[in-house]
Amino acid sequence: MTALAASLAARIAATGPISLADYMAECLLHPDHGYYSTRDPFGKQGDFTTAPEISQMFGELAGLCLAGAWLDQGRPADIVLAEPGPGRGTLMADILRATRGVPGFHAALRVHLVETSPVLRARQKEALQGHDVAWHDSLHDLPEAPLFLVANEFFDALPIRQFQRDPQGWRERVIGLADDMLSFGLTAPAPHTTLEHRLADTAPGEIVEVCPAAGPLASAIAGRIARHGGAAVIVDYGGWHSRGDTFQALSQHGHTDPLAAPGQADLTAHVDFEALALAARAEGAAVSDLTPQGVWLERLGITERARTLARGMTGAALEAHVAAHRRLTHPEEMGTLFKALAIYPTTAPVPPGFA
Ligand code: SAH
């Protein structure tokens, strides 16, 4: 049993079952044993890979999208260029490199990263050498200023709760103990006013997921954009609505039992983009159509960019480059599963690549 498993078991024995959200938060963010707190999980040697780690094209096009929105909004000064959950810092480094040629953009911005992991903060510092970067523990700490933000695979790491519909209300899926081992269980059914709108589109036995942190974070982003201008691009896997059980654990590029080794596997859930959009609109910001990642990248010109980059390549490098283009855009790979959503001021045009 890992140290974290033992401490969770002791806590559950003393005070009862915990929600999936509590479990995810402990497993991902525990200061000594949390998954992100203690490692760099990316790449072939790691547990999973992400779009910016697959190809520089992802960050380059995200950069052009944000810089395009900045130009469309009249080139505001003193802007915040922000990224929550920047991983290795690759995406932000590619954004900065791709936008060097946009006159005035770099002079107008300061980079703000939101990251809880000390290990990953160190990686980000290396990747962004030569840039003036401020780090924050929470998105709520970003300054009040025009906000240009990108978030890739950040919202999927936020803790979720699961509720199973029952003829008598909703039963929360919790983690308790069976024979001293962590095991899933269900609470007694109870009515939940916040889930009443889901009675229309679920049947008894079905699971819905709720991410308590997502709405307030989307509000923090959208409020700044509505008040000061800016644009946010949120990319993640998920859909318009939470539907069914999407809680999953990844280790060494494969699925594993999420309860088997707490703190040793990445835990995620699909993102409910409707919840982000509702929170953003309530702050007075506009929200784009939810756009498949492949469509968004095609509209930003990924195929042209891929051809340009391919000119200097041969052999294995060229093969890897072609595979990366396909992986980012093809419907059977990340092209459709991953979606992009933009938040922008109601007075500004929709950011490039969105409708
Ligand atoms: N965006 C990167 C990394 C995605 S992994 C990429 O695309 O490669 C998730 C990132 O979010 C990691 O950097 C992790 O440490 C960070 N993270 C997870 N939960 C967080 C939280 N609650 N607050 C801030 N950062 C968090």
Side-chain angles (χ1 to χ4, degrees):
M1 212 187 246
T2 64
L4 188 54
S7 114
L8 286 166
R11 171 178 167 187
I12 292 166
T15 59
I18 59 173
S19 70
L20 259 62
D22 282 347
Y23 180 75
M24 276 182 89
E26 289 290 320
C27 290
L28 295 178
L29 304 178
H30 186 286
D32 301 321
H33 309 298
Y35 179 75
Y36 284 117
S37 318
T38 53
R39 81 198 67 213
D40 172 351
F42 306 100
K44 275 212 178 74
Q45 313 304 320
D47 293 319
F48 62 97
T49 193
T50 58
E53 301 297 334
I54 290 169
S55 166
Q56 68 185 67
M57 294 187 290
F58 184 83
E60 290 171 350
L61 296 168
L64 293 180
C65 172
L66 291 180
W70 177 75
L71 291 169
D72 283 343
Q73 292 178 34
R75 308 166 45 149
D78 298 322
I79 67 164
V80 169
L81 178 63
E83 185 184 355
R88 285 180 167 172
T90 309
L91 173 53
M92 186 52 78
D94 289 338
I95 288 176
L96 290 168
R97 198 188 58 257
T99 55
R100 256 186 328 219
V102 179
F105 188 56
H106 281 208
L109 68 83
R110 183 166 188 217
V111 175
H112 291 259
L113 302 179
V114 178
E115 176 60 71
T116 42
S117 162
V119 177
L120 291 173
R121 277 193 188 198
R123 291 298 307 257
Q124 292 153 19
K125 198 169 185 176
E126 264 172 56
L128 297 171
Q129 265 173 27
H131 295 281
D132 178 22
V133 179
W135 275 270
H136 306 275
D137 290 327
S138 163
L139 257 171
H140 296 284
D141 300 333
L142 288 178
E144 284 288 338
L147 173 63
F148 292 82
L149 176 142
V150 63
N152 185 61
E153 292 210 43
F154 168 71
F155 281 92
D156 69 355
L158 298 177
I160 53 139
R161 294 172 69 182
Q162 287 186 336
F163 296 90
Q164 190 178 67
R165 190 168 158 193
D166 182 271
Q168 268 83 48
W170 297 88
R171 307 176 68 167
E172 180 159 8
R173 226 171 147 222
V174 289
I175 293 163
L177 295 174
D179 299 330
D180 295 332
M181 301 294 285
L182 297 175
S183 112
F184 286 110
L186 289 167
T187 62
H192 259 285
T193 42
T194 53
L195 291 177
E196 240 145 55
H197 67 292
R198 298 307 306 268
L199 292 174
D201 68 347
T202 54
E206 282 182 13
I207 283 178
V208 298
E209 295 177 338
V210 177
C211 178
L217 292 176
S219 303
I221 295 169
R224 282 166 178 75
I225 290 171
R227 285 189 292 275
H228 310 290
V233 177
I234 296 168
V235 185
D236 229 307
Y237 56 140
W240 188 244
H241 228 66
S242 110
R243 202 82 213 233
D245 171 17
T246 71
F247 182 51
Q248 66 168 24
L250 276 186
S251 180
Q252 290 164 0
H253 299 269
H255 289 269
T256 104
D257 173 0
L259 304 188
Q264 309 286 318
D266 186 35
L267 301 178
T268 60
H270 283 197
V271 172
D272 174 357
F273 282 95
E274 182 187 38
L276 304 182
L278 288 173
R281 288 203 189 103
E283 292 292 320
V287 175
S288 72
D289 287 349
L290 186 61
T291 309
Q293 171 174 300
V295 172
W296 179 60
L297 292 172
E298 288 298 350
R299 286 183 185 154
L300 290 169
I302 193 170
T303 298
E304 250 178 28
R305 180 69 187 131
R307 283 206 192 101
T308 308
L309 284 170
R311 271 186 218 132
M313 295 179 183
T314 52
L318 180 60
E319 264 170 47
H321 172 62
V322 171
H325 177 211
R326 183 186 148 90
R327 188 141 176 223
L328 291 180
T329 56
H330 198 278
E332 277 162 23
E333 306 232 15
M334 297 170 80
T336 307
L337 177 62
F338 280 74
K339 314 277 197 310
L341 185 81
I343 300 172
Y344 59 104
T346 50
T347 50
V350 66
F354 292 97

